[in-house]
Amino acid sequence: MAASDGGTPAEEYDGGLAASGADGTSGAGPGTRGVYAISVAAELVGTGQQNIRQYERKGLLTPGRTDGGTRRYSENDLATLRRIGALLDEGLNLAGVKLVLELEAENRGLTEDNKGLADDNRGLREDNRGLRKDLKRARGGA
C-alpha cells in the first residue's frame, strides 16, 4: 500500500498510534469513534482486510468493537493504517513499524508534557515577579 494511494504522505502525518495508545487502549476525542467496517477501512486506505487483521494481531492498532464483536475503525485508525502503509513502503517490517509507532506516540506525549511544563513555568515566573514587587514594597521601595 503506497502513501500516494489516496493516503496521507508520511511527511504530512506525524505518525504514531493515532487511534490507540502504545498500550493498545483506545483514546478519547475527535476521530476515535469506530464507524467503518473492516471492508470499508481496507478500501479507504488501499490495503487488504487480511493485512488489517494481521496489524491488529501484531499490536499495531486496536479497533473498537461492537457488542457482537465486529471491528469498527475510526478516523484515527485510518490514519494509523495509512502510517503503517507508508512505513512498510519505506522498507520497515512489522516489528519495526510497531517500534516507530510506539516511539512517535511517546514523542507526542513528551511534547505535550513539555508544553504543559512550559506553561507552568510561565505562570511561576509571573508569580515570582509579583512576589518580588510585593517584597520591594514591603521593604519600603528599596
Side-chain angles (χ1 to χ4, degrees):
M1 168 179 75
S4 60
D5 294 344
T8 304
E11 56 273 359
E12 290 181 19
Y13 175 66
D14 69 349
L17 299 166
S20 307
D23 61 356
T25 59
S26 189
T32 60
R33 183 169 171 243
V35 294
Y36 302 107
I38 192 169
S39 59
V40 175
E43 185 175 335
L44 288 171
V45 300
T47 192
Q49 295 177 34
Q50 289 301 322
N51 289 338
I52 296 175
R53 289 184 187 99
Q54 183 179 22
Y55 303 156
E56 183 182 352
R57 283 192 302 272
K58 296 288 186 178
L60 301 177
L61 81 157
T62 305
R65 299 249 181 192
T66 65
D67 291 340
T70 303
R71 293 173 178 89
R72 289 288 182 226
Y73 295 87
S74 68
E75 289 295 330
N76 288 350
D77 291 323
L78 297 181
T80 299
L81 287 168
R82 289 181 184 111
R83 182 65 176 142
I84 291 167
L87 292 169
L88 290 171
D89 287 348
E90 291 176 18
L92 275 69
N93 62 19
L94 291 179
V97 169
K98 183 174 183 180
L99 288 174
V100 168
L101 294 178
E102 289 171 348
L103 289 170
E104 288 173 338
E106 182 179 353
N107 189 37
R108 277 193 312 279
L110 291 171
T111 298
E112 289 174 17
D113 290 349
N114 194 24
K115 287 179 185 173
L117 290 171
D119 291 343
D120 291 348
N121 195 19
R122 256 189 305 284
L124 290 172
R125 285 185 180 149
E126 290 172 14
D127 291 348
N128 192 6
R129 279 193 293 274
L131 290 171
R132 286 176 188 259
K133 287 179 184 177
D134 291 346
L135 183 59
K136 189 175 183 181
R137 269 186 256 126
R139 289 184 175 167

